[in-house]
Amino acid sequence: MPLRTDVRTDVRTDVRTDVRTDVVVTDLRAEHGDPHLGLGTARPRLSWITRPTGATPASWHQSGYEVLITTVPAADRSGRAPTWSSGRIASGDSVLVPWPAAALGSRQRVRVQVRTWGTDQDNPTAFSAPLVLEAGLLDPSDWVAAPVGPDWDEDPGEDHRPALLRRRFSLPGPVARARLHVSAHGLHEVELNGQRVGDEVLAPGWTSYAHRLRYRTHDVTALLRQGENALGAWLADGWYRGRYGTHGGNRNLYGQRTALIAQLEVDLTDGRRVVVATGAGAGEDDHAWRAAHGPISASSLYDGEHHDARLELSDFSTAGFDDSGWAGVRRYERDPATLVAADGPPVRCTQEVLPVAVLTSPSGATILDFGQNLTGRLRIRVRGQAGQRVRLRHAEVLQDGELYTRPLQSAAATDTYVLAGGGPDGEPEVWEPRFTMHGFRYAEVTGWPGRLGEGDVVARVHHSDMARTGWFSCSDERLNRLHENVVWSMRSNFVDIPTDCPQRDERLGWTGDIQVFGPTAAFLYDCSGFLASWLGDVAAEQLEDGTVPWYVPMIPAQFWDPPQPGAVWGDVAVLLPHVLHERYGDTGLLRRQYASAKAWVDLVERLAGPSRLWNTGLQLGDWLDPAAPPEEPAAARTDKYLVATAYFAHSARTLARTAQVLGEQEDAARYGRLARQVREAFVAEHVTADGRLSSDAQTAYALAIVFDLLPRDLRAAAGRRLAELVAGDGHRVATGFAGVNLVTDALTLTGHDATAHALLTETGCPSWLYQVAMGATTTWERWDSMLPDGTVNPGHMTSFNHYALGSIADWMHRTVAGLASAAPGYRRLLVRPRPGAALDSAAARHETPYGTAAVSWRRAGERLVVVVDVPLGVSASIDLPNRPITEVGAGRHRFEVTAAPANDTATATCAGDASALQPA
């Protein structure tokens, strides 16, 4: 990295300059924040938050910043590390700002600090605490490792026993720094000198392996020593070659052999580098790797894991272990261009849950109730004789007091542990499966020796370890439970990819589900890196004609194979990047996904033809409309081609906005024209002169209103008709996936707040609170996954842990509590609470890229008291009932207005301008 002439070689000299102390720079991060080790880009974008420490003026905004970058050497050598300064950069940006210096090289390690200037004075803040960044292997030529796996014959038509791999190696001197870059064909866990490396599970996760195989970089300096060492690994089938998919699934989706790809790079204190890599060369190095079977006799993501503790080799990853009886390994061809650094958090255990009850079923079985439907697995602590077998069977629900497994379809969801044996008085054996995952609330325990004690069985919750960023609460505990159910369903299904359900033989990355749930997800958790990674697979799996698969990664022979274009689902290519830009300010993601988004809209334009009506081909439409028969989930009240054309118009308009953001003016004009043409065709085909739609159904009106497809003079009539339909249905939900995230917004946009609140708080089936009344702890796939008599819906696909119907939470955040983004990354807030008549209070809080934003309101007699927290550098538009709209700056603000309850006589603030309140 070249140095400027104004280099500071010691940032401590800055203490001699005048710095402002009422503002500090915190939360410095690169890209999406996790990981900072093994970055996959040479120019990581930087973000930070400027927070007040005292009476900072509300008008304070950043006017400039400076970045210091200090090279961190691999070894501790004498001499001062060079520090580069950007100098003062005039900019108010602090979210995903461009890397200001020379590009990083592979493995380069730097320490970054930032300080800022405000608009009100010349003195800068102090420099932030340092952030240490380290680049990964940025060029395919950096990889010398190749995949290696056990050299024994296996039947490709069966599940395979997970294997153990190991090799010894020697280090000729003390270790200064060591990095392990690792991935696998299959799933892996790695050990060094008997110690587990990292805490992630199901690594390297599931991507479109032929295009993108993720690797992670681990700091293993503390696990190595001068002299003899050993590297060991567990390998299992996972998604790579295990049985996966519905109706029995398929095997060997990506290959017939599991393999480890590991490159251990050790920098010694004398400056030498030792590289230990799989498949790195011929001769002795290749033969140093050895393989054997371990204690796991079977492992499947669907069916569970079987572990015989009598076969454990607890010291197999130590240097002194005798592997003379082990088999050799086989080297496989590699494509290093597919290896990409992880850009989001791994799957980890994030919580432990104890049983709330131990039940005895009518058949005499012991069933543990954990009180919460979740995704994870059980850890047991057990004493007994060698050979005793404990079986753990999982399910989401009970029926007639017994574990009910029909909704699992062909997934066995059963783990088995065979005790090594120390007797009832010996040390307890502690075990948890390694390479499986289950969706469950209940577990049936069979073969337990003796009596179950407290803490003997613990449910460990696993999901991608995203940071929580959003919270909601109100005076109605039923709505609080509903919101908590939404959170749990997101946690349960954000397991490396956004899945549909965690329990049955499916667990696929359905594109339509996350398209409707994306805004809710982006409020509740920082899923920027998680979804950016998945969108990379969406683009990779997209067909040459622009077709987006129904689910990503795409696996064959499941549903509608080969993939066919379908509205709502395929529109994820346009709409989800837009959501992430609105919520995180990530223009880079918009640019990266732009070609994918254009390909989708261009495809639909060709399919619609000159008529601009998409009225041909397979469509799932308003999937799982509650009126649809159990075995015909696409048989909705709303015409599927009305849905398709509405989404065509919406995606074309959204793409035009994306093009505008990216400076693609010709595209912005082209897709803007296309959106207007589709809108006109929609009106001519589906709208009558009095504002009625060809499908007189809730979803049809919700789409037309929220997507702004109606002439201005017909919007009010459409809103009234929607409110009539909702009231006529007893304020029960009558939408499926295509309308569930829009119906309350449509009512709000047209001045029917009371109807929207009545829809939210109805308890009859189908409704959101019906699920709560039935004891749900997650949101369901079907509105009536469990029928009022306590039996499970007879439909073939019935899950109790889906997030799509939980997309209502986005409206709860933006309208019930009143906290919304009005500019990308929450640079500007819209505070617009519309209290329901039955609520006494509500609150929402969100950790925006600029800091904490919060809104709370409560009734005080006939007054409504509203408190708003605005982060530094952010402004807010305050839109309260019976009060003119007010613009405020940073700080805490308190307002009192007349506490008019929600009603259907008020005029919507943005009537005629759906984009202002449209869910971002």
Side-chain angles (χ1 to χ4, degrees):
M1 181 180 296
L3 301 180
R4 289 163 47 108
T5 57
D6 60 344
V7 160
R8 288 185 178 85
T9 56
D10 189 346
V11 298
R12 289 175 300 175
T13 59
D14 198 69
V15 301
R16 294 195 296 270
T17 67
D18 291 331
V19 299
R20 62 184 306 160
T21 59
D22 60 339
V23 181
V24 294
V25 177
T26 69
D27 300 85
L28 181 59
R29 58 203 183 278
E31 288 299 324
H32 303 295
D34 188 351
H36 287 142
L37 177 64
L39 283 167
T41 175
R43 295 182 178 274
R45 297 169 297 172
L46 301 174
S47 303
W48 58 87
I49 296 175
T50 308
R51 300 185 189 271
T53 61
T56 306
S59 61
W60 188 95
H61 282 75
Q62 176 186 297
S63 64
Y65 65 87
E66 179 182 9
V67 181
L68 288 183
I69 303 175
T70 305
T71 299
V72 180
D76 185 15
R77 302 185 183 92
S78 60
R80 182 169 289 172
T83 297
W84 178 91
S85 169
S86 68
R88 179 171 175 169
I89 298 174
S91 172
D93 295 336
S94 61
V95 174
L96 297 170
V97 302
W99 182 250
L104 298 177
S106 293
R107 309 175 184 87
Q108 186 172 356
R109 186 173 175 85
V110 295
R111 185 170 64 246
V112 181
Q113 293 175 281
V114 171
R115 67 174 175 177
T116 65
W117 284 263
T119 54
D120 57 343
Q121 63 180 47
D122 292 333
N123 290 341
T125 67
F127 277 101
S128 66
L131 170 68
V132 177
L133 303 178
E134 184 174 318
L137 304 182
L138 301 178
D139 191 278
S141 64
D142 294 322
W143 284 92
V144 297
V148 299
D151 189 15
W152 54 58
D153 292 331
E154 295 177 316
D155 185 341
E158 297 181 351
D159 287 330
H160 308 99
R161 279 185 76 178
L164 302 178
L165 268 63
R166 74 178 305 273
R167 71 154 291 177
R168 285 189 295 267
F169 61 94
S170 181
L171 296 177
V175 177
R177 188 166 79 192
R179 300 291 182 260
L180 176 65
H181 313 282
V182 61
S183 187
H185 295 164
L187 300 179
H188 71 77
E189 285 189 10
V190 180
E191 300 178 9
L192 263 172
N193 293 327
Q195 299 294 314
R196 169 84 182 274
V197 175
D199 57 0
E200 64 197 63
V201 300
L202 302 184
W206 189 18
T207 52
S208 177
Y209 293 131
H211 303 97
R212 301 173 62 249
L213 177 61
R214 285 195 302 250
Y215 75 90
R216 285 198 183 270
T217 299
H218 299 273
D219 182 351
V220 294
T221 308
L223 300 182
L224 294 170
R225 55 180 175 263
Q226 182 176 352
E228 295 301 310
N229 295 265
L231 175 64
W234 302 70
L235 277 177
D237 289 353
W239 296 279
Y240 190 81
R241 71 167 184 179
R243 179 176 77 90
Y244 212 75
T246 61
H247 313 300
N250 295 282
R251 299 181 190 278
N252 309 305
L253 292 171
Y254 299 97
Q256 295 188 0
R257 296 275 184 173
T258 56
L260 179 70
I261 307 168
Q263 188 161 311
L264 174 64
E265 300 182 343
V266 185
D267 293 321
L268 305 179
T269 56
D270 61 8
R272 287 180 293 171
R273 173 171 291 167
V274 177
V275 178
V276 179
T278 55
E284 182 179 347
D285 189 67
D286 269 347
H287 296 298
W289 289 93
R290 310 290 289 169
H293 285 122
I296 304 175
S297 58
S299 185
S300 163
L301 289 166
Y302 290 156
D303 296 328
E305 195 159 289
H306 304 277
H307 184 105
D308 190 339
R310 297 171 299 181
L311 304 178
E312 286 182 352
L313 302 170
S314 59
D315 58 348
F316 86 97
S317 62
T318 62
F321 181 81
D322 181 7
D323 61 10
S324 58
W326 284 33
V329 298
R330 185 180 303 178
R331 183 182 187 276
Y332 301 98
E333 291 303 312
R334 64 185 174 97
D335 181 1
T338 65
L339 286 165
V340 296
D343 51 5
V347 177
R348 293 188 178 101
C349 175
T350 63
Q351 186 177 346
E352 294 186 349
V353 179
L354 291 170
V356 298
V358 180
L359 311 173
T360 301
S361 74
S363 67
T366 298
I367 297 176
L368 303 181
D369 177 6
F370 290 91
Q372 174 62 57
N373 202 14
L374 55 88
T375 294
R377 52 210 191 189
L378 299 178
R379 184 185 65 204
I380 64 173
R381 181 183 63 198
V382 60
R383 293 179 177 88
Q385 303 295 336
Q388 288 185 294
R389 185 181 302 264
V390 176
R391 187 182 70 164
L392 309 168
R393 200 159 62 107
H394 307 74
E396 292 184 299
V397 293
L398 303 180
Q399 187 164 301
D400 299 324
E402 301 286 353
L403 203 70
Y404 196 64
T405 59
R406 181 177 65 83
L408 304 181
Q409 298 182 10
S410 71
T414 300
D415 297 326
T416 305
Y417 179 73
V418 180
L419 276 68
D425 299 323
E427 286 295 315
E429 301 176 37
V430 178
W431 174 75
E432 175 186 341
R434 291 176 184 265
F435 300 115
T436 192
M437 204 65 67
H438 308 295
F440 66 100
R441 171 176 172 170
Y442 301 93
E444 181 185 273
V445 181
T446 306
W448 192 272
R451 182 177 177 275
L452 272 171
E454 184 177 353
D456 283 346
V457 182
V458 177
R460 287 169 52 81
V461 180
H462 288 79
H463 58 83
S464 292
D465 192 11
M466 306 164 294
R468 181 78 184 266
T469 55
W471 295 263
F472 170 90
S473 63
C474 70
S475 56
D476 189 334
E477 286 304 321
R478 301 171 305 168
L479 294 180
N480 293 337
R481 180 68 253 185
L482 169 63
H483 191 268
E484 191 68 6
N485 290 359
V486 175
V487 172
W488 273 100
S489 280
M490 178 177 173
R491 294 175 70 186
S492 299
N493 284 291
F494 274 49
V495 180
D496 202 69
I497 68 166
T499 62
D500 59 326
C501 60
Q503 85 298 334
R504 66 172 177 244
D505 59 350
E506 189 168 352
R507 313 184 200 181
L508 301 176
W510 285 92
T511 49
D513 300 43
I514 190 58
Q515 187 272 117
V516 301
F517 189 72
T520 298
F523 183 90
L524 294 174
Y525 283 87
D526 181 356
C527 51
S528 55
F530 175 95
L531 289 176
S533 176
W534 181 76
L535 281 169
D537 286 316
V538 170
E541 297 276 20
Q542 196 168 5
L543 305 189
E544 288 187 8
D545 69 354
T547 297
V548 175
W550 299 101
Y551 41 86
V552 173
M554 181 65 190
I555 60 176
Q558 293 297 303
F559 305 92
W560 312 294
D561 185 29
Q564 302 176 47
V568 184
W569 280 256
D571 293 286
V572 75
V574 180
L575 302 181
L576 188 57
H578 172 70
V579 167
L580 298 183
H581 174 252
E582 286 299 307
R583 299 305 177 90
Y584 301 112
D586 193 347
T587 305
L589 179 68
L590 281 186
R591 173 62 67 186
R592 194 193 75 183
Q593 298 296 128
Y594 187 56
S596 169
K598 284 182 62 176
W600 170 253
V601 173
D602 290 347
L603 167 65
V604 180
E605 182 182 16
R606 293 193 301 273
L607 293 172
S611 75
R612 298 307 192 222
L613 297 170
W614 191 5
N615 53 15
T616 59
L618 173 69
Q619 296 290 344
L620 301 187
D622 196 20
W623 183 257
L624 287 174
D625 179 322
E631 296 304 333
E632 294 184 66
R637 282 166 282 203
T638 301
D639 175 18
K640 61 187 179 181
Y641 294 127
L642 182 154
V643 172
T645 300
Y647 259 93
F648 177 22
H650 183 47
S651 280
R653 176 184 293 173
T654 303
L655 183 58
R657 292 171 176 166
T658 296
Q660 188 73 37
V661 170
L662 297 176
E664 302 287 346
Q665 301 303 332
E666 290 186 8
D667 281 354
R670 170 172 131 64
Y671 292 111
R673 286 193 303 271
L674 177 61
R676 291 191 293 274
Q677 292 166 2
V678 180
R679 183 178 188 265
E680 292 168 0
F682 179 90
V683 171
E685 180 75 7
H686 295 293
V687 183
T688 65
D690 60 356
R692 291 288 181 98
L693 295 179
S694 58
S695 290
D696 196 34
Q698 288 185 25
T699 290
Y701 289 98
L703 290 167
I705 292 168
V706 177
F707 291 173
D708 196 15
L709 302 179
L710 299 172
R712 188 176 295 269
D713 60 344
L714 295 182
R715 282 174 53 80
R720 285 193 298 272
R721 181 55 184 159
L722 174 59
E724 290 170 1
L725 288 172
V726 172
D729 286 324
H731 295 102
R732 299 184 183 188
V733 177
T735 67
F737 279 26
V740 66
N741 63 324
L742 304 175
V743 63
T744 48
D745 267 302
L747 291 166
T748 297
L749 282 165
T750 52
H752 299 280
D753 291 318
T755 301
H757 280 276
L759 183 65
L760 173 66
T761 54
E762 171 59 36
T763 59
C765 183
S767 68
W768 287 284
L769 291 189
Y770 166 74
Q771 299 180 11
V772 172
M774 292 298 290
T777 61
T778 44
T779 50
W780 297 348
E781 178 177 24
R782 297 176 181 267
W783 294 106
D784 58 351
S785 284
M786 181 171 286
L787 304 179
D789 64 2
T791 60
V792 174
N793 188 296
H796 174 67
M797 43 171 233
T798 303
S799 165
F800 293 87
N801 203 345
H802 256 61
Y803 53 62
L805 301 185
S807 56
I808 183 62
D810 184 54
W811 183 80
M812 294 166 69
H813 304 147
R814 291 182 291 104
T815 304
V816 177
L819 178 59
S821 171
Y826 289 84
R827 188 66 178 268
R828 187 166 175 270
L829 306 179
L830 173 61
V831 176
R832 189 183 183 275
R834 290 299 180 262
L839 293 179
D840 295 322
S841 64
R845 175 167 59 92
H846 182 63
E847 296 299 327
T848 79
Y850 297 95
T852 304
V855 177
S856 64
W857 60 261
R858 61 180 175 83
R859 298 187 189 277
E862 296 183 354
R863 305 289 287 171
L864 189 72
V865 180
V866 182
V867 178
V868 181
D869 290 315
V870 181
L872 201 61
V874 172
S875 62
S877 178
I878 311 298
D879 181 357
L880 302 179
N882 305 308
R883 186 181 190 277
I885 296 176
T886 305
E887 300 294 325
V888 300
R892 172 162 289 188
H893 307 274
R894 186 179 185 276
F895 306 91
E896 283 196 27
V897 296
T898 303
N903 61 74
D904 283 356
T905 59
T907 301
T909 300
C910 298
D913 181 12
S915 63
L917 285 181
Q918 184 176 314

